[in-house]
């Protein structure tokens, strides 16, 4: 007991000397708490995660608890305050989490598709628009304000194409989620919008009624996007188990095929914080990051 107390005291002294934040001294993980940015409907996020959660539970030996949140900021705060262990983040949300945790939040894997991610600008099927410049004077819908693929990067590429959304569009709205953006345009609440390519492809494959009423006008250049990130101070051994579990997913394995399909992934690959430097630069250019 004395030895344990002495070890604990030494650990606290060392942490203080190194200037480690309180969340870096967290207790052992007994339940793997997982969340995701709410870029789709909560029921869809739960459906997509269930097989993956079961898989991660077997891989780590820990019960897995998925907690949906109402906005992007809640995921960032959850990682920073040790309430979430693992989170599915967009590139911009990761940049926010990295800054919020002083670099403590660590991205471990991304889908192979996330290295060449794109967004799709959509208009009603009957629209006469042929280029993005034809959208000047139109009502336009982004996704959530903190969405990489539904707001930040499309806005960045619009600006590069000489289009300032607040100046050149009649109105700018935020739908809150990618599938909601399609509904906005399909219903006439907006004359154009933008969403990520992965959700768009899924809606088309599912013959979503709203997707059938719109068409793609343009596609952005590629950029890095989504990743799975662990909180600061998560046990390195658990982080390694999680990383290895994602990397072991193989589409040729029938047990893994459903998981990868729901995640819209051909496979997972390692990632690193520097992959998102371009997104951070875009955020600064847009005045969203100081």
């Amino acid at each position: 007991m004395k030895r344990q107390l002495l070890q604990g005291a030494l650990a606290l002294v060392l942490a203080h000397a190194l200037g480690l934040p309180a969340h870096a001294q967290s207790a052992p993980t007994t339940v793997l708490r997982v969340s995701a940015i709410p870029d789709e409907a909560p029921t869809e996020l739960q459906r997509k995660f269930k097989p993956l959660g079961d898989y991660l539970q077997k891989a780590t030996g820990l019960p897995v608890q998925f907690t949906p949140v109402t906005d992007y900021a809640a995921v960032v705060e959850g990682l920073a305050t040790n309430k979430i262990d693992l989170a599915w983040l967009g590139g911009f949300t990761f940049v926010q989490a990295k800054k919020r945790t002083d670099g403590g939040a660590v991205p471990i894997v991304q889908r192979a598709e996330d290295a060449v991610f794109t967004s799709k600008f959509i208009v009603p099927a009957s629209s006469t628009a042929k280029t993005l410049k034809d959208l000047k004077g139109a009502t336009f819908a982004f996704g959530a304000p903190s969405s990489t693929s539904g707001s930040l990067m499309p806005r960045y590429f619009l600006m590069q194409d000489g289009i300032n959304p607040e100046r050149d569009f009649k109105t700018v709205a935020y739908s809150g989620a990618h599938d909601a953006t399609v509904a906005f345009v399909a219903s006439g609440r907006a004359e154009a919008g933008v969403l990520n390519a992965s959700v768009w492809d899924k809606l088309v494959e599912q013959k979503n009624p709203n997707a059938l009423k719109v068409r793609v006008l343009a596609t952005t250049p590629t950029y890095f996007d989504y990743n799975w990130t662990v909180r600061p101070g998560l046990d390195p051994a658990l982080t390694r188990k999680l990383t290895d579990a994602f990397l072991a997913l193989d589409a040729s394995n029938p047990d893994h095929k459903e998981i990868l399909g729901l995640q819209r992934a051909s496979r997972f690959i390692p990632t690193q914080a520097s992959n998102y430097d371009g997104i951070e630069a875009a955020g600064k250019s847009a005045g969203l990051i100081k």
Side-chain angles (χ1 to χ4, degrees):
M1 178 64 71
K2 289 182 179 179
R3 178 178 295 177
Q4 290 175 332
L5 289 173
L6 179 59
Q7 289 175 335
L10 287 173
L12 288 174
V13 170
L14 179 59
H16 178 73
L18 292 174
L20 295 177
H23 55 224
Q25 307 156 31
S26 54
T29 303
T30 56
V31 175
L32 183 66
R33 300 160 300 175
V34 185
S35 193
I37 55 172
D39 61 347
E40 294 186 82
T43 52
E44 178 64 6
L45 292 176
Q46 292 272 18
R47 184 184 76 86
K48 286 167 54 176
F49 181 74
K50 181 63 168 63
L52 176 60
D54 293 342
Y55 172 75
L56 294 178
Q57 183 164 313
K58 292 178 182 178
T60 63
L62 294 173
V64 174
Q65 174 184 308
F66 183 81
T67 304
V69 295
T70 57
D71 58 42
Y72 286 52
V75 182
V76 173
E77 282 305 301
L79 287 168
T81 57
N82 191 26
K83 294 178 180 176
I84 295 172
D85 302 306
L86 175 70
W88 173 246
L89 305 179
F92 184 46
T93 319
F94 165 70
V95 170
Q96 292 174 313
K98 182 185 74 169
K99 295 182 76 66
R100 173 68 177 82
T101 61
D102 297 321
V106 179
I108 55 173
V109 294
Q110 64 185 55
R111 300 170 301 186
E113 291 77 4
D114 290 313
V116 287
F117 210 77
T118 61
S119 296
K120 302 287 187 180
F121 291 94
I122 58 171
V123 293
S126 60
S127 172
T128 59
K130 296 181 179 179
T131 69
L132 291 176
K133 287 184 170 59
D134 293 334
L135 299 180
K136 289 186 176 182
T139 54
F140 190 89
F142 289 107
S146 291
S147 172
T148 308
S149 52
S151 181
L152 175 64
M153 296 310 288
R155 176 180 289 273
Y156 174 73
F157 292 125
L158 282 169
M159 297 288 284
Q160 286 196 324
D161 207 29
I163 301 172
N164 182 316
E166 278 68 34
R167 181 194 66 205
D168 295 323
F169 294 143
K170 182 178 180 180
T171 61
V172 172
Y174 291 91
S175 72
H178 299 292
D179 46 3
T181 297
V182 179
F184 266 47
V185 178
S187 67
R189 292 181 66 184
E191 295 171 291
V194 66
L195 73 155
N196 82 42
S198 181
V199 174
W200 169 253
D201 290 343
K202 180 176 70 174
L203 294 175
V204 171
E205 289 168 13
Q206 295 174 343
K207 293 182 171 53
N208 176 274
N210 289 322
L212 295 174
K213 297 176 182 178
V214 303
R215 64 177 175 85
V216 173
L217 175 67
T219 301
T220 67
T222 61
Y223 53 90
F224 280 95
D225 200 355
Y226 294 89
N227 67 55
W228 283 100
T229 288
V230 296
R231 65 168 172 82
L234 189 68
D235 177 25
L238 178 55
T239 298
R240 173 46 54 190
K241 284 183 180 180
L242 289 168
T243 304
D244 289 346
F246 278 107
L247 297 180
L249 287 168
D250 182 352
S252 66
N253 181 330
D255 294 335
H256 297 175
K257 187 175 181 179
E258 179 188 12
I259 296 172
L260 289 168
L262 287 170
Q263 298 299 310
R264 308 292 299 178
S266 57
R267 62 192 175 99
F268 282 91
I269 60 176
T271 192
Q272 56 192 9
S274 61
N275 283 345
Y276 303 92
D277 288 349
I279 288 176
E280 184 169 355
K284 290 178 178 178
S285 175
L288 300 175
I289 299 176
K290 295 181 180 180

